Amino acid sequence: AYIAVVDFLREESSFSLQGCIVGGRSMGARAAAGAALADTSGFVRGVMCLSYPLHPPGEPDKLRTDVFSLPLPTLFVSGTRDPMCPAGTFRKHAESMGAR
């Protein structure tokens, strides 16, 4: 659905958008990151991830690290006690993006 919305916003002639920022919470954050990774046109200019699920529930060994390959400005907001996004693990991977 995110990709369809991005396509609509980019192609709709009644808008004069030069780009957009996509975002979501939890699984919506994963979907937004996926849409940003899939956008090859440069229309997506940034990503906002709230409570990004770094791994599936109860499966900390199955890390979802594709989000860290985003070549766009990305804002992550997450609590320190999120069971699907341990702060230390997240910080280690976020540093690979040049996170501050």
Side-chain angles (χ1 to χ4, degrees), residues 25-28 30 50-64 68 78-90:
R25 181 189 172 280
S26 193
M27 291 303 289
R30 282 197 66 215
L50 306 175
S51 297
Y52 183 84
L54 193 54
H55 61 75
E59 300 182 59
D61 56 324
K62 293 186 178 178
L63 293 178
R64 299 169 172 150
F68 299 114
S78 189
T80 58
R81 298 182 302 196
D82 186 339
M84 291 191 295
C85 189
T89 304
F90 177 82

Side-chain angles (χ1 to χ4, degrees), residues 14-15 19 23 25 27 35 39 44 51 58 64 77 81 96 98 100:
S14 62
F15 300 127
R25 181 189 172 280
M27 291 303 289
D39 177 49
V44 175
S51 297
R64 299 169 172 150
V77 179
R81 298 182 302 196
S96 71
R100 292 177 265 143

Side-chain angles (χ1 to χ4, degrees), residues 20-24 26 28-37 44-54 64-78 90 93-100:
C20 72
I21 296 172
V22 294
S26 193
R30 282 197 66 215
L37 285 166
V44 175
R45 305 286 176 89
V47 183
M48 182 178 63
C49 296
L50 306 175
S51 297
Y52 183 84
L54 193 54
R64 299 169 172 150
T65 58
D66 56 336
V67 70
F68 299 114
S69 66
L70 282 166
L72 303 167
T74 305
L75 173 67
F76 292 97
V77 179
S78 189
F90 177 82
H93 289 285
E95 287 171 357
S96 71
M97 292 179 83
R100 292 177 265 143

